[in-house]
Amino acid sequence: MAHVQIDYTQEKPVMDAGDIGRAVTRIAHEILERNKGVARLALVGIRTGGVYLGHRLVRRIRDIEGVTVPIGELDITLYRDDLALRKEQPVLRKTSVPFDISDKIIVLVDDVLFTGRTIRAAMDGLMDLGRPAEIQLAVLIDRGHRQLPIKATYVGKNIPTSRDEEIQVLLEEAGEEDRVVISRA
Amino acid sequence: MSLKRKDLLSLAPLSVEEIALVLDTADSFKEVTGREIKKVPALRGRTVVNLFFEPSTRTRTSFELAAKRLSADVINFSPSSSSVVKGETLLDTARNIEAMQADIIVLRHPSAGAAEALARGVKSSVINAGDGWHEHPTQALLDLYTIRQRGLSFEGLKVAIVGDVAHSRVARSNIYALSKLGAEVRLIGPPTMMPWGVERLGARVYCNFDEGLTGVQVIMMLRLQLERQGRALFPTIREYARLYGLTGERVKLADPGAIVMHPGPINRGVEIAPEVADSLSSVILDQVANGVAVRMGILYLMSGAN
Protein backbone atom coordinates (compact mmCIF):
# COMPACT_ATOMS: atom_id res chain seq x y z
CA MET A 1 0.00 0.00 0.00
CA ALA A 2 1.36 3.36 -0.94
CA HIS A 3 2.24 5.63 1.92
CA VAL A 4 0.03 8.72 1.97
CA GLN A 5 1.73 11.81 3.24
CA ILE A 6 -0.32 14.85 4.24
CA ASP A 7 1.13 17.93 2.65
CA TYR A 8 0.77 20.67 5.22
CA THR A 9 2.23 23.29 2.94
CA GLN A 10 -1.21 23.19 1.35
CA GLU A 11 -4.38 24.38 2.99
CA LYS A 12 -6.85 21.64 3.76
CA PRO A 13 -10.47 22.66 3.16
CA VAL A 14 -12.90 21.72 5.93
CA MET A 15 -16.01 23.72 5.01
CA ASP A 16 -17.21 25.20 1.73
CA ALA A 17 -19.75 27.93 1.04
CA GLY A 18 -22.67 25.46 1.24
CA ASP A 19 -21.48 24.08 4.60
CA ILE A 20 -21.10 27.60 6.04
CA GLY A 21 -24.57 28.60 4.78
CA ARG A 22 -26.17 25.50 6.32
CA ALA A 23 -24.34 26.02 9.63
CA VAL A 24 -25.54 29.64 9.81
CA THR A 25 -29.12 28.56 9.05
CA ARG A 26 -29.01 25.87 11.74
CA ILE A 27 -27.57 28.28 14.34
CA ALA A 28 -30.31 30.81 13.47
CA HIS A 29 -32.96 28.14 14.10
CA GLU A 30 -31.29 27.06 17.33
CA ILE A 31 -31.17 30.67 18.60
CA LEU A 32 -34.89 31.09 17.89
CA GLU A 33 -35.77 27.74 19.42
CA ARG A 34 -33.75 28.26 22.59
CA ASN A 35 -35.03 31.79 23.15
CA LYS A 36 -38.59 31.05 21.96
CA GLY A 37 -38.51 33.82 19.36
CA VAL A 38 -36.79 37.19 19.16
CA ALA A 39 -38.19 39.07 22.15
CA ARG A 40 -35.32 40.79 24.00
CA LEU A 41 -32.83 39.22 21.54
CA ALA A 42 -29.82 41.13 20.18
CA LEU A 43 -26.62 40.04 18.46
CA VAL A 44 -23.12 41.40 19.03
CA GLY A 45 -20.40 40.40 16.58
CA ILE A 46 -16.76 40.34 17.64
CA ARG A 47 -14.61 42.16 15.11
CA THR A 48 -13.96 41.22 12.36
CA GLY A 49 -15.18 37.74 11.42
CA GLY A 50 -17.86 37.70 14.10
CA VAL A 51 -19.40 40.88 12.71
CA TYR A 52 -19.79 39.35 9.24
CA LEU A 53 -21.29 36.16 10.64
CA GLY A 54 -23.53 38.18 12.98
CA HIS A 55 -25.01 40.06 10.03
CA ARG A 56 -25.62 36.76 8.21
CA LEU A 57 -27.43 35.44 11.29
CA VAL A 58 -29.57 38.61 11.43
CA ARG A 59 -30.58 38.09 7.80
CA ARG A 60 -31.34 34.40 8.37
CA ILE A 61 -33.42 35.15 11.49
CA ARG A 62 -35.32 37.77 9.47
CA ASP A 63 -36.00 35.19 6.72
CA ILE A 64 -37.39 32.73 9.30
CA GLU A 65 -39.13 35.01 11.78
CA GLY A 66 -39.76 38.17 9.73
CA VAL A 67 -38.12 40.35 12.38
CA THR A 68 -34.79 42.18 12.19
CA VAL A 69 -32.95 41.82 15.49
CA PRO A 70 -30.52 44.59 16.50
CA ILE A 71 -26.82 43.92 15.98
CA GLY A 72 -23.76 45.61 17.43
CA GLU A 73 -20.04 45.39 16.71
CA LEU A 74 -17.52 44.86 19.48
CA ASP A 75 -13.78 45.52 19.38
CA ILE A 76 -12.14 43.65 22.26
CA THR A 77 -8.62 45.10 21.94
CA LEU A 78 -8.82 47.23 25.10
CA TYR A 79 -9.91 44.21 27.13
CA ARG A 80 -7.19 41.79 26.04
CA ASP A 81 -5.32 40.24 28.95
CA ASP A 82 -2.02 40.30 27.04
CA LEU A 83 -2.11 44.02 26.24
CA ALA A 84 0.61 44.91 28.76
CA LEU A 85 2.83 42.06 27.54
CA ARG A 86 2.84 42.98 23.88
CA LYS A 87 5.68 44.92 22.31
CA GLU A 88 3.39 46.86 20.01
CA GLN A 89 -0.07 48.11 20.76
CA PRO A 90 -2.63 46.46 18.49
CA VAL A 91 -4.53 48.86 16.25
CA LEU A 92 -7.87 49.78 17.78
CA ARG A 93 -11.09 49.48 15.88
CA LYS A 94 -14.40 50.92 16.87
CA THR A 95 -16.99 49.40 19.12
CA SER A 96 -20.49 50.24 17.97
CA VAL A 97 -23.40 48.89 19.94
CA PRO A 98 -26.16 51.36 19.08
CA PHE A 99 -28.79 49.96 21.45
CA ASP A 100 -29.15 49.52 25.21
CA ILE A 101 -28.02 46.01 26.08
CA SER A 102 -29.52 46.10 29.58
CA ASP A 103 -31.99 43.25 30.15
CA LYS A 104 -31.40 41.90 26.63
CA ILE A 105 -30.44 38.38 25.68
CA ILE A 106 -27.15 38.99 23.89
CA VAL A 107 -25.79 36.43 21.47
CA LEU A 108 -22.05 37.04 21.06
CA VAL A 109 -20.91 35.91 17.62
CA ASP A 110 -17.36 34.94 16.62
CA ASP A 111 -15.82 32.91 13.83
CA VAL A 112 -13.46 30.63 15.79
CA LEU A 113 -13.53 29.60 19.47
CA PHE A 114 -10.02 28.64 20.60
CA THR A 115 -8.50 29.48 24.02
CA GLY A 116 -11.58 31.37 25.22
CA ARG A 117 -9.59 34.53 26.01
CA THR A 118 -11.25 36.58 23.28
CA ILE A 119 -14.68 35.62 24.62
CA ARG A 120 -13.69 36.54 28.18
CA ALA A 121 -12.52 39.94 26.90
CA ALA A 122 -15.76 40.33 24.93
CA MET A 123 -17.87 39.56 27.99
CA ASP A 124 -15.93 42.17 30.01
CA GLY A 125 -16.45 44.64 27.20
CA LEU A 126 -20.18 43.93 27.11
CA MET A 127 -20.53 44.34 30.87
CA ASP A 128 -19.06 47.85 30.57
CA LEU A 129 -21.87 48.73 28.18
CA GLY A 130 -24.68 47.60 30.48
CA ARG A 131 -26.13 44.58 32.25
CA PRO A 132 -27.52 42.04 29.82
CA ALA A 133 -30.08 39.53 31.11
CA GLU A 134 -28.09 36.72 29.54
CA ILE A 135 -25.07 36.24 27.28
CA GLN A 136 -25.00 33.34 24.84
CA LEU A 137 -22.18 32.47 22.46
CA ALA A 138 -22.43 31.44 18.80
CA VAL A 139 -19.31 30.36 16.90
CA LEU A 140 -18.83 28.93 13.44
CA ILE A 141 -15.87 26.74 14.48
CA ASP A 142 -14.90 25.30 17.85
CA ARG A 143 -11.31 24.09 17.57
CA GLY A 144 -10.74 23.18 21.23
CA HIS A 145 -7.69 24.03 23.39
CA ARG A 146 -9.61 26.08 25.93
CA GLN A 147 -7.59 27.93 28.59
CA LEU A 148 -10.66 29.30 30.35
CA PRO A 149 -13.91 27.60 31.38
CA ILE A 150 -15.92 28.87 28.42
CA LYS A 151 -18.34 26.84 26.30
CA ALA A 152 -20.23 27.94 23.20
CA THR A 153 -24.03 27.83 23.21
CA TYR A 154 -24.20 27.33 19.42
CA VAL A 155 -21.46 25.70 17.31
CA GLY A 156 -21.39 25.48 13.52
CA LYS A 157 -18.76 22.73 13.42
CA ASN A 158 -16.40 21.15 15.94
CA ILE A 159 -12.95 20.74 14.41
CA PRO A 160 -10.46 19.08 16.77
CA THR A 161 -7.04 20.52 15.95
CA SER A 162 -3.48 20.28 17.13
CA ARG A 163 -1.91 23.43 18.58
CA ASP A 164 0.36 23.95 15.62
CA GLU A 165 -2.49 23.99 13.16
CA GLU A 166 -4.28 27.11 12.10
CA ILE A 167 -7.95 27.55 11.24
CA GLN A 168 -8.87 30.27 8.81
CA VAL A 169 -12.45 31.34 8.22
CA LEU A 170 -12.53 33.11 4.87
CA LEU A 171 -15.70 35.06 4.09
CA GLU A 172 -17.09 36.92 1.10
CA GLU A 173 -17.44 40.12 3.13
CA ALA A 174 -13.64 40.23 3.41
CA GLY A 175 -13.22 39.76 -0.33
CA GLU A 176 -12.66 36.00 -0.16
CA GLU A 177 -14.58 32.98 -1.34
CA ASP A 178 -16.61 31.50 1.55
CA ARG A 179 -14.63 28.58 3.03
CA VAL A 180 -12.88 27.29 6.14
CA VAL A 181 -9.36 25.89 5.77
CA ILE A 182 -6.89 24.25 8.08
CA SER A 183 -3.13 24.71 7.69
CA ARG A 184 0.12 24.28 9.60
CA ALA A 185 0.92 27.45 11.54
CA MET B 1 1.17 50.43 11.99
CA SER B 2 2.16 51.57 15.44
CA LEU B 3 3.71 54.58 17.10
CA LYS B 4 7.24 53.26 17.52
CA ARG B 5 8.46 56.05 19.73
CA LYS B 6 9.53 56.05 23.33
CA ASP B 7 8.50 59.68 23.73
CA LEU B 8 6.14 62.27 22.26
CA LEU B 9 8.08 65.52 22.47
CA SER B 10 7.24 67.35 19.28
CA LEU B 11 5.07 67.04 16.19
CA ALA B 12 7.95 68.01 13.90
CA PRO B 13 9.32 64.44 13.48
CA LEU B 14 5.93 62.68 13.27
CA SER B 15 4.98 61.29 9.87
CA VAL B 16 1.57 61.87 8.26
CA GLU B 17 0.80 58.18 8.91
CA GLU B 18 1.69 58.49 12.60
CA ILE B 19 -0.55 61.55 12.97
CA ALA B 20 -3.38 59.66 11.22
CA LEU B 21 -2.86 56.70 13.58
CA VAL B 22 -3.19 58.95 16.65
CA LEU B 23 -6.37 60.55 15.26
CA ASP B 24 -7.90 57.18 14.34
CA THR B 25 -7.06 55.74 17.77
CA ALA B 26 -8.59 58.82 19.42
CA ASP B 27 -11.74 58.14 17.40
CA SER B 28 -12.09 54.74 19.09
CA PHE B 29 -11.62 56.35 22.50
CA LYS B 30 -14.22 59.00 21.68
CA GLU B 31 -16.70 56.12 21.67
CA VAL B 32 -15.49 55.07 25.14
CA THR B 33 -15.92 58.63 26.50
CA GLY B 34 -19.52 58.56 25.26
CA ARG B 35 -20.42 55.46 27.27
CA GLU B 36 -22.19 55.34 30.58
CA ILE B 37 -19.17 53.57 32.11
CA LYS B 38 -16.30 55.59 30.65
CA LYS B 39 -13.57 53.20 31.61
CA VAL B 40 -11.59 50.45 29.91
CA PRO B 41 -8.85 48.23 31.38
CA ALA B 42 -6.20 48.88 28.71
CA LEU B 43 -3.58 50.47 31.04
CA ARG B 44 -4.35 48.42 34.13
CA GLY B 45 -1.20 48.08 36.26
CA ARG B 46 0.58 50.96 34.49
CA THR B 47 1.57 54.15 36.27
CA VAL B 48 1.26 57.60 34.71
CA VAL B 49 2.90 60.56 36.44
CA ASN B 50 1.77 64.11 35.74
CA LEU B 51 4.80 66.30 36.41
CA PHE B 52 3.57 69.88 36.09
CA PHE B 53 6.03 72.71 36.74
CA GLU B 54 3.60 75.32 35.45
CA PRO B 55 0.05 75.98 36.53
CA SER B 56 -2.44 74.22 34.29
CA THR B 57 -5.93 73.03 35.04
CA ARG B 58 -7.15 72.03 31.61
CA THR B 59 -4.20 69.99 30.36
CA ARG B 60 -3.46 68.34 33.71
CA THR B 61 -7.04 67.28 34.39
CA SER B 62 -7.39 66.16 30.79
CA PHE B 63 -4.33 63.90 31.11
CA GLU B 64 -5.45 62.71 34.54
CA LEU B 65 -8.92 61.84 33.28
CA ALA B 66 -7.51 60.14 30.18
CA ALA B 67 -5.16 57.97 32.27
CA LYS B 68 -7.88 57.11 34.78
CA ARG B 69 -10.31 56.15 32.03
CA LEU B 70 -7.68 53.70 30.81
CA SER B 71 -7.44 52.27 34.38
CA ALA B 72 -3.86 53.47 34.94
CA ASP B 73 -2.62 54.56 38.36
CA VAL B 74 -2.10 58.32 38.30
CA ILE B 75 0.23 60.43 40.42
CA ASN B 76 0.23 64.22 40.22
CA PHE B 77 3.41 66.10 41.07
CA SER B 78 3.64 69.86 41.26
CA PRO B 79 6.82 71.75 42.24
CA SER B 80 5.29 73.58 45.19
CA SER B 81 4.54 70.29 46.94
CA SER B 82 7.64 68.35 45.87
CA SER B 83 11.36 68.33 46.67
CA VAL B 84 11.94 70.79 43.84
CA VAL B 85 11.52 73.55 46.42
CA LYS B 86 14.48 71.99 48.24
CA GLY B 87 16.67 72.43 45.17
CA GLU B 88 16.27 69.07 43.47
CA THR B 89 16.89 69.13 39.71
CA LEU B 90 14.30 68.13 37.13
CA LEU B 91 16.26 65.03 36.17
CA ASP B 92 16.68 63.92 39.79
CA THR B 93 12.98 64.40 40.43
CA ALA B 94 12.16 62.36 37.35
CA ARG B 95 14.67 59.62 38.23
CA ASN B 96 13.05 59.27 41.63
CA ILE B 97 9.65 59.03 39.99
CA GLU B 98 11.01 56.47 37.57
CA ALA B 99 12.39 54.41 40.46
CA MET B 100 8.79 54.15 41.64
CA GLN B 101 8.05 52.21 38.40
CA ALA B 102 6.44 55.02 36.45
CA ASP B 103 5.72 53.94 32.88
CA ILE B 104 4.80 57.32 31.43
CA ILE B 105 5.79 60.81 32.60
CA VAL B 106 3.69 63.72 31.36
CA LEU B 107 5.78 66.87 31.66
CA ARG B 108 4.74 70.52 31.60
CA HIS B 109 7.70 72.85 32.06
CA PRO B 110 8.37 76.58 31.54
CA SER B 111 11.65 75.90 29.70
CA ALA B 112 11.78 74.93 26.03
CA GLY B 113 13.62 71.65 25.62
CA ALA B 114 12.91 70.40 29.16
CA ALA B 115 10.88 67.45 27.87
CA GLU B 116 13.66 66.38 25.52
CA ALA B 117 16.31 66.67 28.24
CA LEU B 118 14.15 64.56 30.53
CA ALA B 119 13.43 61.95 27.85
CA ARG B 120 17.17 61.43 27.34
CA GLY B 121 17.70 60.84 31.05
CA VAL B 122 14.91 58.39 31.90
CA LYS B 123 13.69 55.06 30.58
CA SER B 124 10.01 55.96 31.08
CA SER B 125 8.09 57.34 28.11
CA VAL B 126 7.89 61.13 28.25
CA ILE B 127 4.95 63.07 26.85
CA ASN B 128 5.48 66.78 26.37
CA ALA B 129 2.49 68.64 27.80
CA GLY B 130 3.98 72.00 26.88
CA ASP B 131 7.61 73.14 27.22
CA GLY B 132 8.17 76.89 27.29
CA TRP B 133 7.58 78.46 23.88
CA HIS B 134 8.60 75.29 22.10
CA GLU B 135 5.75 72.80 21.52
CA HIS B 136 2.49 71.48 22.88
CA PRO B 137 1.97 68.40 20.70
CA THR B 138 -1.13 66.96 22.39
CA GLN B 139 -2.99 70.27 22.10
CA ALA B 140 -2.22 70.40 18.37
CA LEU B 141 -3.34 66.79 17.95
CA LEU B 142 -6.66 67.53 19.63
CA ASP B 143 -7.02 70.60 17.39
CA LEU B 144 -6.46 68.38 14.34
CA TYR B 145 -8.95 65.86 15.68
CA THR B 146 -11.57 68.61 16.18
CA ILE B 147 -11.02 69.90 12.64
CA ARG B 148 -11.40 66.39 11.22
CA GLN B 149 -14.47 65.75 13.39
CA ARG B 150 -16.15 68.70 11.62
CA GLY B 151 -15.72 66.86 8.33
CA LEU B 152 -12.95 69.11 7.03
CA SER B 153 -10.12 67.62 5.02
CA PHE B 154 -6.57 68.86 5.68
CA GLU B 155 -5.40 68.90 2.07
CA GLY B 156 -5.74 72.49 0.87
CA LEU B 157 -7.50 73.59 4.07
CA LYS B 158 -6.99 77.29 4.82
CA VAL B 159 -6.18 77.79 8.50
CA ALA B 160 -5.54 81.14 10.18
CA ILE B 161 -3.56 81.11 13.43
CA VAL B 162 -4.07 84.48 15.07
CA GLY B 163 -2.28 86.27 17.89
CA ASP B 164 1.01 85.91 19.70
CA VAL B 165 2.52 83.26 17.43
CA ALA B 166 6.08 83.88 18.65
CA HIS B 167 5.32 82.87 22.22
CA SER B 168 2.83 80.13 21.43
CA ARG B 169 3.85 76.49 21.72
CA VAL B 170 0.36 75.54 20.52
CA ALA B 171 0.91 77.54 17.31
CA ARG B 172 4.30 75.96 16.67
CA SER B 173 2.98 72.41 17.00
CA ASN B 174 0.03 73.24 14.78
CA ILE B 175 2.20 74.86 12.10
CA TYR B 176 4.34 71.70 11.90
CA ALA B 177 1.38 69.33 11.76
CA LEU B 178 -0.97 71.31 9.52
CA SER B 179 1.74 72.07 6.94
CA LYS B 180 2.71 68.40 6.90
CA LEU B 181 -0.92 67.40 6.28
CA GLY B 182 -1.18 69.74 3.29
CA ALA B 183 -3.06 72.67 4.84
CA GLU B 184 -2.35 76.32 3.97
CA VAL B 185 -1.31 77.97 7.22
CA ARG B 186 -1.70 81.73 7.62
CA LEU B 187 -0.20 83.43 10.64
CA ILE B 188 -1.87 86.66 11.67
CA GLY B 189 -0.65 89.06 14.34
CA PRO B 190 1.43 92.14 15.04
CA PRO B 191 5.00 91.98 13.70
CA THR B 192 6.31 92.02 17.27
CA MET B 193 4.57 88.71 17.87
CA MET B 194 5.82 86.85 14.81
CA PRO B 195 8.76 84.50 15.21
CA TRP B 196 11.82 85.28 13.11
CA GLY B 197 11.96 83.31 9.87
CA VAL B 198 8.64 81.51 10.41
CA GLU B 199 8.04 81.55 6.63
CA ARG B 200 10.62 78.75 6.38
CA LEU B 201 8.06 76.43 7.97
CA GLY B 202 5.78 77.02 5.00
CA ALA B 203 3.41 79.50 6.63
CA ARG B 204 2.37 82.91 5.27
CA VAL B 205 2.46 85.90 7.59
CA TYR B 206 -0.24 88.60 7.61
CA CYS B 207 -0.18 91.67 9.81
CA ASN B 208 -3.61 92.74 8.58
CA PHE B 209 -6.22 90.55 10.29
CA ASP B 210 -8.99 91.12 7.73
CA GLU B 211 -6.72 90.31 4.80
CA GLY B 212 -5.44 87.10 6.35
CA LEU B 213 -8.88 85.97 7.44
CA THR B 214 -10.49 86.14 4.02
CA GLY B 215 -11.73 82.75 2.90
CA VAL B 216 -10.24 80.63 5.68
CA GLN B 217 -12.12 77.56 6.91
CA VAL B 218 -10.50 77.41 10.34
CA ILE B 219 -9.79 80.37 12.63
CA MET B 220 -7.46 79.36 15.42
CA MET B 221 -7.23 82.13 18.01
CA LEU B 222 -4.34 82.20 20.47
CA ARG B 223 -4.54 83.42 24.02
CA LEU B 224 -2.90 86.73 24.73
CA GLN B 225 -0.54 85.78 27.53
CA LEU B 226 -1.02 88.85 29.63
CA GLU B 227 0.75 87.29 32.60
CA ARG B 228 3.92 86.63 30.60
CA GLN B 229 4.79 89.58 28.43
CA GLY B 230 2.93 92.38 30.14
CA ARG B 231 2.42 95.09 27.57
CA ALA B 232 5.88 95.11 26.09
CA LEU B 233 4.80 93.88 22.67
CA PHE B 234 1.75 96.06 22.04
CA PRO B 235 0.71 99.53 23.20
CA THR B 236 -2.63 98.78 24.89
CA ILE B 237 -4.98 95.84 25.30
CA ARG B 238 -7.74 97.96 23.78
CA GLU B 239 -5.70 98.55 20.65
CA TYR B 240 -4.81 94.87 20.41
CA ALA B 241 -8.48 93.92 20.75
CA ARG B 242 -9.42 96.40 18.02
CA LEU B 243 -6.76 95.19 15.58
CA TYR B 244 -6.60 91.47 16.37
CA GLY B 245 -9.76 90.62 18.32
CA LEU B 246 -12.14 88.23 16.59
CA THR B 247 -15.57 89.84 16.30
CA GLY B 248 -18.77 88.62 14.66
CA GLU B 249 -18.17 91.08 11.81
CA ARG B 250 -14.69 89.66 11.17
CA VAL B 251 -15.92 86.05 11.17
CA LYS B 252 -18.01 86.98 8.10
CA LEU B 253 -14.78 87.50 6.14
CA ALA B 254 -13.92 83.83 6.56
CA ASP B 255 -15.47 80.98 4.62
CA PRO B 256 -19.18 80.51 5.44
CA GLY B 257 -19.24 77.62 7.92
CA ALA B 258 -15.72 78.36 9.17
CA ILE B 259 -14.98 77.08 12.67
CA VAL B 260 -13.49 79.12 15.50
CA MET B 261 -10.95 77.44 17.77
CA HIS B 262 -9.09 78.52 20.91
CA PRO B 263 -6.81 76.44 23.15
CA GLY B 264 -8.21 78.21 26.22
CA PRO B 265 -8.46 79.77 28.67
CA ILE B 266 -9.98 82.63 26.68
CA ASN B 267 -9.67 86.33 27.44
CA ARG B 268 -13.24 87.36 26.63
CA GLY B 269 -13.39 90.70 24.86
CA VAL B 270 -9.64 90.74 24.17
CA GLU B 271 -8.66 88.17 21.53
CA ILE B 272 -12.22 86.92 21.09
CA ALA B 273 -15.58 88.64 21.46
CA PRO B 274 -18.04 86.87 23.80
CA GLU B 275 -20.66 86.47 21.05
CA VAL B 276 -18.10 84.65 18.87
CA ALA B 277 -16.85 82.43 21.72
CA ASP B 278 -20.42 81.31 22.38
CA SER B 279 -21.54 81.14 18.73
CA LEU B 280 -22.46 78.02 16.78
CA SER B 281 -19.23 78.26 14.80
CA SER B 282 -17.19 78.01 18.02
CA VAL B 283 -15.76 74.54 18.70
CA ILE B 284 -13.89 75.59 21.84
CA LEU B 285 -15.74 73.20 24.15
CA ASP B 286 -15.48 70.39 21.59
CA GLN B 287 -11.71 70.88 21.77
CA VAL B 288 -11.80 70.34 25.54
CA ALA B 289 -13.98 67.23 25.23
CA ASN B 290 -11.84 65.83 22.42
CA GLY B 291 -8.71 66.47 24.49
CA VAL B 292 -9.53 63.55 26.76
CA ALA B 293 -10.11 61.12 23.87
CA VAL B 294 -6.94 62.23 22.06
CA ARG B 295 -4.84 61.89 25.23
CA MET B 296 -6.32 58.46 25.89
CA GLY B 297 -5.21 57.52 22.38
CA ILE B 298 -1.70 58.86 22.96
CA LEU B 299 -1.31 57.15 26.35
CA TYR B 300 -2.55 53.88 24.81
CA LEU B 301 -0.13 54.08 21.87
CA MET B 302 2.81 55.15 24.07
CA SER B 303 2.20 52.39 26.60
CA GLY B 304 3.26 49.83 24.01
CA ALA B 305 6.61 51.47 23.47
CA ASN B 306 8.36 50.28 26.62
Side-chain angles (χ1 to χ4, degrees):
Chain A
M1 201 171 98
H3 179 70
V4 179
Q5 192 156 12
I6 298 169
D7 181 6
Y8 273 108
T9 55
Q10 299 272 310
E11 297 167 344
K12 190 176 128 194
V14 284
M15 282 177 104
D16 62 17
D19 298 329
I20 295 173
R22 281 186 287 277
V24 170
T25 304
R26 179 170 51 74
I27 292 174
H29 278 287
E30 283 176 6
I31 290 172
L32 292 170
E33 199 177 328
R34 186 186 179 101
N35 298 300
K36 299 181 173 61
V38 293
R40 294 205 292 162
L41 195 68
L43 268 56
V44 172
I46 299 173
R47 283 189 185 274
T48 317
V51 171
Y52 300 147
L53 289 166
H55 282 282
R56 289 188 188 196
L57 279 168
V58 168
R59 286 198 294 273
R60 208 65 100 242
I61 290 170
R62 190 179 53 213
D63 293 343
I64 303 162
E65 206 73 7
V67 179
T68 305
V69 295
I71 178 161
E73 301 177 358
L74 192 67
D75 178 50
I76 57 116
T77 311
L78 295 169
Y79 293 86
R80 290 169 68 134
D81 55 9
D82 63 347
L83 208 48
L85 308 171
R86 295 171 71 93
K87 273 232 163 296
E88 275 179 24
Q89 295 300 72
V91 173
L92 276 193
R93 283 160 298 181
K94 243 190 187 162
T95 286
S96 164
V97 181
F99 50 85
D100 183 11
I101 66 161
S102 298
D103 290 324
K104 287 230 166 46
I105 297 168
I106 301 292
V107 181
L108 266 179
V109 186
D110 205 1
D111 45 5
V112 180
L113 176 57
F114 183 27
T115 60
R117 289 177 188 269
T118 299
I119 304 304
R120 183 213 62 87
M123 287 194 288
D124 276 357
L126 266 186
M127 293 301 190
D128 275 357
L129 299 177
R131 187 182 182 278
E134 193 178 330
I135 299 176
Q136 301 171 358
L137 174 62
V139 294
L140 184 65
I141 309 290
D142 183 350
R143 61 167 292 190
H145 301 286
R146 215 74 79 238
Q147 294 168 354
L148 297 170
I150 282 169
K151 186 172 178 285
T153 325
Y154 315 99
V155 179
K157 190 179 175 71
N158 281 294
I159 303 178
T161 56
S162 77
R163 274 211 152 258
D164 54 1
E165 284 172 327
E166 215 168 65
I167 296 264
Q168 277 181 286
V169 175
L170 305 160
L171 298 171
E172 268 179 7
E173 292 89 333
E176 303 276 351
E177 191 187 330
D178 269 6
R179 66 204 161 100
V180 179
V181 297
I182 189 165
S183 59
R184 238 349 143 195
Chain B
M1 176 75 199
S2 66
L3 203 62
K4 284 195 183 114
R5 294 177 183 277
K6 175 181 154 293
D7 313 293
L8 179 65
L9 308 173
S10 158
L11 285 192
L14 248 61
S15 68
V16 172
E17 290 76 22
E18 283 175 309
I19 293 173
L21 174 70
V22 173
L23 302 188
D24 290 344
T25 308
D27 227 6
S28 302
F29 284 112
K30 188 75 186 166
E31 180 269 317
V32 174
T33 60
R35 292 182 191 174
E36 203 168 316
I37 300 170
K38 301 170 182 60
K39 210 170 172 105
V40 288
L43 258 64
R44 201 167 49 191
R46 302 291 182 106
T47 304
V48 176
V49 177
N50 287 327
L51 191 54
F52 276 60
F53 287 84
E54 252 186 2
S56 159
T57 312
R58 209 174 307 252
T59 308
R60 195 190 57 72
T61 46
S62 182
F63 265 109
E64 185 173 352
L65 207 53
K68 283 181 171 168
R69 285 185 177 168
L70 290 167
S71 304
D73 295 316
V74 187
I75 301 167
N76 292 314
F77 268 86
S78 58
S80 59
S81 62
S82 76
S83 294
V84 175
V85 290
K86 299 176 188 168
E88 191 174 62
T89 66
L90 167 65
L91 196 54
D92 280 333
T93 304
R95 280 188 180 140
N96 277 296
I97 291 169
E98 191 178 40
M100 296 171 202
Q101 314 293 319
D103 298 290
I104 298 174
I105 298 174
V106 179
L107 180 74
R108 156 75 59 102
H109 201 280
S111 306
E116 190 165 341
L118 182 66
R120 285 201 198 125
V122 296
K123 286 194 204 73
S124 313
S125 289
V126 175
I127 297 175
N128 181 5
D131 60 334
W133 299 341
H134 175 225
E135 277 219 47
H136 194 351
T138 61
Q139 174 70 41
L141 287 165
L142 76 88
D143 291 342
L144 298 177
Y145 182 84
T146 309
I147 292 171
R148 202 178 75 162
Q149 189 186 40
R150 284 288 170 130
L152 298 167
S153 143
F154 294 112
E155 192 63 51
L157 186 74
K158 293 189 181 74
V159 183
I161 302 179
V162 189
D164 186 2
V165 178
H167 301 104
S168 172
R169 50 198 176 204
V170 175
R172 198 155 287 109
S173 289
N174 267 309
I175 296 167
Y176 284 134
L178 285 163
S179 316
K180 207 174 294 189
L181 293 167
E184 178 191 324
V185 183
R186 301 181 185 180
L187 305 174
I188 306 170
T192 48
M193 291 178 164
M194 281 298 150
W196 192 252
V198 72
E199 296 87 348
R200 276 179 303 181
L201 298 177
R204 284 174 70 182
V205 176
Y206 294 80
C207 290
N208 183 312
F209 194 176
D210 296 354
E211 193 190 325
L213 204 57
T214 307
V216 299
Q217 286 110 7
V218 177
I219 311 168
M220 204 178 268
M221 300 304 295
L222 299 173
R223 188 171 68 90
L224 196 60
Q225 299 181 20
L226 300 168
E227 76 283 11
R228 283 204 185 149
Q229 71 247 4
R231 290 180 187 172
L233 299 173
F234 51 89
T236 65
I237 292 177
R238 188 184 293 177
E239 185 190 286
Y240 181 87
R242 191 169 55 78
L243 291 173
Y244 296 104
L246 187 65
T247 58
E249 275 305 305
R250 282 208 163 106
V251 172
K252 288 178 190 158
L253 294 170
D255 193 57
I259 57 170
V260 177
M261 309 180 81
H262 193 299
I266 58 175
N267 295 311
R268 276 178 187 265
V270 182
E271 71 260 9
I272 191 161
E275 73 267 20
V276 177
D278 302 329
S279 69
L280 286 175
S281 55
S282 161
V283 295
I284 297 171
L285 292 176
D286 293 346
Q287 288 173 271
V288 179
N290 291 338
V292 177
V294 169
R295 288 176 177 120
M296 282 172 85
I298 290 161
L299 288 170
Y300 168 77
L301 291 169
M302 299 303 291
S303 71
N306 282 337

